[in-house]
């Protein structure tokens, strides 16, 4: 059995989508679909296809899931053991980060590594979805979560709250809003897709639907719409790093936590530790850091 088929099977299972799985694996959607079809010709139907963006497991798919996860874990363990021996001889470190941090933090990291450790090369996986450290899809993960997995180690860098932002040159007819309930009087950009289930955007849908001029399912796209004067938006506090104007903080919504994480098995890999320390220092320079070792 080709291991690549198992990787595709697990990627589609985790994302529930052929499109997102292809992005995760760095291949075209047509290539992924061809490989998955070949796999299913050998095994039987593994997924029910509701649409390109909605795949669910069949009973056959459910029956092989635990075995596929075990195979993935074994391959990842082999790769981590090889990494330990390679140390700095293998200079690549795979980093996964959300879109916003990838645009504004990772370039600073690469610049610093070029000065201090030019032998290290970053392979950046831009994703707002969790890539698996267990499967060695990444060496280091920059994640916004309140529940980091127990088999990962790392540090909580800071708490990430919510604020209201507009463009630097936004022209208000009167004074800017200063409280959440005042947003009903302004042009608002809301969330759709997965973002629609976040409390901040549920609040907009409930209280500002008449003045919600557009929506997006991506934080970075939301921030760009704000930058282009399409309206004002509620965004995570990390967008203070972006060329936007923060109007006020919103305390009504639960804060998340920003973590720098790695798998326990790579804690002795020198190049991973060097990148981890450099990344934490850069985040500490840009954000209010909290000391929370795990």
């Amino acid at each position: 059995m080709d291991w690549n088929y198992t990787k595709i099977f697990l990627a589609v299972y985790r994302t529930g989508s052929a499109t997102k799985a292809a992005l995760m694996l760095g291949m075209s959607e047509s290539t992924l679909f061809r490989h998955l079809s070949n796999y299913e010709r050998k095994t039987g139907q593994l997924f029910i296809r509701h649409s390109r963006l909605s795949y669910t497991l069949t009973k056959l798919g459910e029956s092989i899931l635990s075995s596929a996860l075990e195979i993935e874990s074994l391959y990842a363990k082999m790769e981590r053991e090889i990494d330990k021996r390679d140390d700095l001889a293998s200079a690549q470190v795979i980093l996964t980060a959300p879109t916003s941090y990838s645009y504004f933090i990772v370039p600073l990291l690469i610049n610093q590594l070029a000065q201090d450790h030019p032998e290290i090369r970053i392979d950046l996986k831009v994703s707002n979805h969790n890539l698996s450290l267990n499967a060695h899809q990444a060496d280091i993960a920059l994640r916004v979560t309140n529940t980091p997995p127990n088999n990962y180690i790392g540090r909580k860098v800071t708490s990430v709250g919510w604020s209201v932002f507009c463009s630097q040159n936004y022209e208000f007819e009167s004074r800017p809003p200063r409280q959440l309930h005042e947003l009903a009087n302004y042009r608002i950009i809301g969330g759709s897709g997965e973002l629609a289930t976040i409390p901040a955007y549920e609040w907009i849908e409930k209280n500002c639907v008449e003045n919600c001029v557009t929506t997006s399912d991506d934080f970075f796209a939301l921030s760009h719409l704000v930058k282009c004067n399409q309206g004002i938006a509620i965004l995570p506090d990390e967008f203070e790093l972006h060329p936007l104007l923060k109007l006020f903080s919103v305390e009504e919504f639960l804060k998340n936590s920003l973590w720098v994480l790695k798998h326990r098995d790579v804690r002795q890999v020198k190049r991973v530790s060097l990148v981890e320390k450099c990344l934490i220092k850069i985040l500490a320079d840009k954000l209010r850091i909290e000391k929370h070792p795990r």
Side-chain angles (χ1 to χ4, degrees):
M1 185 68 68
D2 190 335
W3 159 234
N4 290 314
Y5 286 159
T6 304
K7 286 199 292 187
I8 290 170
F9 167 73
L10 289 173
V12 175
Y13 159 69
R14 287 188 172 113
T15 63
S17 160
T19 301
K20 292 177 181 178
L23 287 171
M24 176 184 287
L25 296 174
M27 63 175 62
S28 69
E29 188 173 343
S30 60
T31 299
L32 181 141
F33 187 78
R34 185 174 68 253
H35 288 325
L36 182 59
S37 298
N38 289 338
Y39 192 25
E40 289 188 317
R41 276 195 287 272
K42 296 179 179 180
T43 61
Q45 186 176 356
L46 301 173
F47 293 97
I48 300 172
R49 295 164 175 79
H50 306 284
S51 70
R52 287 192 313 164
L53 297 176
S54 180
Y55 279 47
T56 57
L57 289 174
T58 63
K59 289 185 177 180
L60 174 61
E62 291 174 353
S63 71
I64 71 168
L65 178 59
S66 61
S67 297
L69 290 170
E70 288 178 11
I71 293 169
E72 177 188 63
S73 179
L74 288 172
Y75 268 90
K77 185 175 182 180
M78 290 167 56
E79 290 178 338
R80 289 193 294 269
E81 289 299 322
I82 293 170
D83 279 348
K84 289 178 186 178
R85 291 198 301 272
D86 284 350
D87 205 10
L88 283 176
S90 175
Q92 178 173 277
V93 172
I94 305 172
L95 168 66
T96 177
T99 308
S100 55
Y101 291 100
S102 297
Y103 274 78
F104 290 95
I105 291 294
V106 175
L108 302 177
L109 170 68
I110 294 171
N111 288 341
Q112 192 63 50
L113 289 172
Q115 296 179 40
D116 299 342
H117 305 287
E119 72 280 5
I120 297 177
R121 179 171 64 89
I122 295 295
D123 180 7
L124 175 62
K125 306 294 187 185
V126 180
S127 176
N128 294 314
H129 301 279
N130 288 343
L131 296 186
S132 176
L133 299 181
N134 280 332
H136 208 195
Q137 294 171 329
D139 298 305
I140 297 175
L142 187 60
R143 290 184 179 169
V144 179
T145 178
N146 284 326
T147 55
N150 290 329
N151 57 330
Y152 298 171
I153 58 174
R155 175 178 292 182
K156 175 183 172 181
V157 177
T158 190
S159 295
V160 181
W162 298 85
S163 295
V164 174
F165 293 88
C166 68
S167 70
Q168 295 283 358
N169 58 351
Y170 195 91
E171 295 184 1
F172 292 97
E173 294 182 2
S174 57
R175 68 171 179 82
R178 298 187 182 120
Q179 298 181 47
L180 188 62
H181 68 85
E182 295 178 359
L183 296 186
N185 301 318
Y186 298 86
R187 296 171 66 239
I188 298 295
I189 302 170
S192 61
E194 292 181 3
L195 296 191
T197 63
I198 293 175
Y201 302 112
E202 289 180 337
W203 185 92
I204 289 174
E205 179 66 22
K206 182 178 179 180
N207 296 278
C208 303
V209 64
E210 292 184 359
N211 57 307
C212 183
V213 294
T214 189
T215 59
S216 175
D217 64 351
D218 178 78
F219 282 132
F220 198 79
L222 278 173
S223 74
H224 192 69
L225 291 169
V226 172
K227 182 183 176 183
C228 293
N229 279 323
Q230 300 303 305
I232 61 180
I234 303 173
L235 290 165
D237 281 341
E238 71 206 52
F239 284 86
E240 290 185 63
L241 301 173
H242 298 214
L244 301 177
L245 176 64
K246 177 178 174 178
L247 296 175
F248 61 90
S249 297
V250 180
E251 303 298 334
E252 286 85 347
F253 307 124
L254 180 67
K255 292 183 178 181
N256 285 314
S257 299
L258 177 65
W259 291 82
V260 176
L261 299 168
K262 62 184 179 182
H263 196 279
R264 293 181 185 276
D265 287 354
V266 299
R267 62 186 181 275
Q268 301 300 327
V269 178
K270 187 174 181 180
R271 68 183 185 279
V272 174
S273 296
L274 290 172
V275 172
E276 177 192 30
K277 290 176 182 177
C278 188
L279 176 59
I280 289 173
K281 183 179 185 304
I282 289 169
L283 290 166
D285 290 341
K286 295 295 180 180
L287 305 168
R288 179 171 55 85
I289 193 165
E290 301 172 12
K291 294 181 180 179
H292 289 277
R294 283 184 97 240

